[in-house]
Amino acid sequence: MGKGPLSGVRVIELAGIGPGPFAAMLLADLGADVVRVDRASSAARGKDPVPADFLGRGKRSIAVDLKNERGREVVLRMVERSDVLIEGFRPGVTERLGIGPDACLARNPALVYGRMTGWGQEGPLSRSAGHDIGYIAVTGALHAIGRAGGPPQVPLNLLGDFAGGSMYLVVGVLSALLEARASGRGQVVDAAIVDGTSHLSTFIHSFLAGGMWRDERGVNLLDTGAPWYDVYETADGGHVVVGALEPQFYAEFLQRLGLADAGLPDRDDPATWPELRERFAAAFKSRTRDEWAEIFLPGDACVAPVLSLREAAEHPYNTAREVFVERGGHRQPAPAPRFSRTSTEIGGLPPAPGADSRDVLAELGFDDVDDLLSGGAVTQA
């Protein structure tokens, strides 16, 4: 169990992929005691072939046969001793397994039951399969990302799965947990990636409604339409980004770029943007990425080098703040945010599925551990 602000909170995670495990990892980073319920078949295979499963950090594992009546009873007994349950199956799956919200809340009325899906628990697409790229497509967010005249650009699965999905699930779970502490009653949290991603775009929708945004790619202030909010190639084939929105930052940007006295046209006239972009591009091609980084950082010009994933872990800013830490022989992002009175910590790689089954059952007060292990309802790796 961690030492963070959620110390003392017990979370059951029904094992899945993507946003659900990330949400549970975040709760573990914050100090919650997270027990991952793996499939018994996973324990039978041994550790799943994931070289470095960072999303499993800080968790313990118990392998349960959810199709076994006694296995379902194990989960329900765990629910009686827990504060939160997180699942990411398609709508109706946990109900068919006998561990849906009604069954769990009957055992523990104060439980927060967090559900993570792409399309939501209800609606015409709720029973359809999907992945991040499809979810963000129907929100309008994917349409807005990319350069003018080009196709939409996929923002990995950061925008949908983890920002629109995991983070909204965590916000919902923590909000419901806070309310349950006051009312004594839990509730179901329906977190859908389409809902969260759409909510994330509220700021852009306000611009669109106010006539300050065109519903097309690469022609607006924040989508590379403006030449002072864009990405530029450097002499060595690297790249730097410019985000000099405010006038004072733009002035410093021009000064450090060497164009303060170059007689540039007025940036407030969109007709001048092609010329400005051409002048900026030519200037950045005169030096390498790292040379520009030395010129611009630290400072208020809002220019930064584009780092690779491996480079980011070694960047002086990130090392100074310990943004990345090494655990289990692997470099990985450190917990965030940080707190003034409580500390967070992470372990190394997670145990194999079911590795902690016996210990978890014993700690939860099960008096029939050997019987459950021998009967196949629970598997020990």
Side-chain angles (χ1 to χ4, degrees):
M1 184 181 299
K3 300 178 180 179
L6 294 185
S7 179
V9 174
R10 176 169 287 138
V11 178
I12 300 172
E13 175 200 348
L14 302 185
I17 60 173
F22 183 86
M25 181 211 74
L26 177 52
L27 295 173
D29 283 350
L30 297 176
D33 177 18
V34 178
V35 177
R36 188 185 68 212
V37 178
D38 289 300
R39 295 179 176 87
S41 58
S42 297
R45 292 195 303 268
K47 186 169 179 61
D48 287 342
V50 179
D53 180 15
F54 297 156
L55 300 191
R57 72 189 191 190
K59 305 174 185 178
R60 294 181 293 162
S61 169
I62 179 172
V64 181
D65 182 358
L66 296 179
K67 296 182 180 179
N68 180 310
E69 183 176 351
R70 297 187 70 198
R72 293 193 293 271
E73 180 62 21
V74 167
V75 173
L76 292 174
R77 288 167 64 184
M78 292 173 63
V79 163
E80 294 173 358
R81 301 162 172 83
S82 301
D83 303 288
V84 177
L85 182 145
I86 289 177
E87 62 96 354
F89 299 125
R90 288 202 207 188
V93 170
T94 57
E95 284 85 350
R96 291 196 298 273
L97 290 171
I99 51 175
D102 290 343
C104 289
L105 287 166
R107 293 293 188 96
N108 181 357
L111 181 76
V112 173
Y113 196 104
R115 318 195 79 171
M116 182 77 260
T117 61
W119 306 114
Q121 295 296 316
E122 304 293 340
L125 294 178
S126 63
R127 305 287 171 165
S128 300
H131 277 296
D132 176 291
I133 192 170
Y135 304 141
I136 66 174
V138 302
T139 69
L142 182 60
H143 173 270
I145 301 173
R147 293 193 172 276
Q153 297 296 309
V154 180
L156 303 180
N157 61 339
L158 298 177
L159 175 58
D161 279 352
F162 300 117
S166 301
M167 299 306 294
Y168 277 86
L169 176 60
V170 170
V171 169
V173 163
L174 294 181
S175 299
L177 187 61
L178 182 64
E179 195 277 337
R181 294 291 170 88
S183 69
R185 299 175 59 196
Q187 58 183 306
V188 179
V189 178
D190 174 6
I193 293 171
V194 290
D195 299 348
T197 304
S198 296
H199 191 256
L200 284 170
S201 64
T202 300
F203 179 68
I204 303 301
H205 275 282
S206 68
F207 272 35
L208 183 65
M212 300 172 61
W213 193 272
R214 291 162 58 187
D215 197 11
E216 54 185 291
R217 287 183 294 280
V219 296
N220 299 288
L221 181 64
L222 303 175
D223 63 357
T224 72
W228 59 90
Y229 202 91
D230 205 345
V231 181
Y232 290 94
E233 186 177 0
T234 56
D236 57 344
H239 294 86
V240 296
V241 297
V242 180
L245 293 174
E246 293 80 0
Q248 67 273 26
F249 301 155
Y250 182 70
E252 181 169 333
F253 161 65
L254 294 183
Q255 189 275 324
R256 296 197 183 207
L257 189 62
L259 296 178
D261 300 317
L264 296 179
D266 181 11
R267 76 168 189 165
D268 291 331
D269 181 3
T272 69
W273 289 4
E275 180 184 350
L276 284 175
R277 179 171 282 106
E278 184 177 335
R279 299 286 293 275
F280 295 164
F284 277 119
K285 287 288 285 184
S286 67
R287 298 177 186 268
T288 67
R289 182 198 67 178
D290 292 345
E291 287 173 337
W292 284 119
E294 290 185 8
I295 291 172
F296 281 102
L297 293 175
D300 288 346
C302 302
V303 175
V306 177
L307 304 177
S308 73
L309 292 174
R310 296 189 185 279
E311 287 177 319
E314 303 296 335
H315 191 272
Y317 172 83
N318 294 327
T319 56
R321 283 190 54 81
E322 296 184 322
V323 176
F324 295 86
V325 295
E326 186 167 323
R327 294 291 187 275
H330 294 275
R331 187 68 61 86
Q332 55 188 288
R338 305 175 187 191
F339 302 87
S340 64
R341 291 193 298 103
T342 53
S343 62
T344 56
E345 60 183 28
I346 61 174
L349 301 183
D356 301 315
S357 292
R358 179 180 292 276
D359 293 339
V360 169
L361 292 175
E363 182 187 315
L364 291 175
F366 283 72
D367 55 10
D368 53 350
V369 175
D370 289 334
D371 186 34
L372 291 170
L373 289 172
S374 64
V378 178
T379 304
Q380 178 81 25

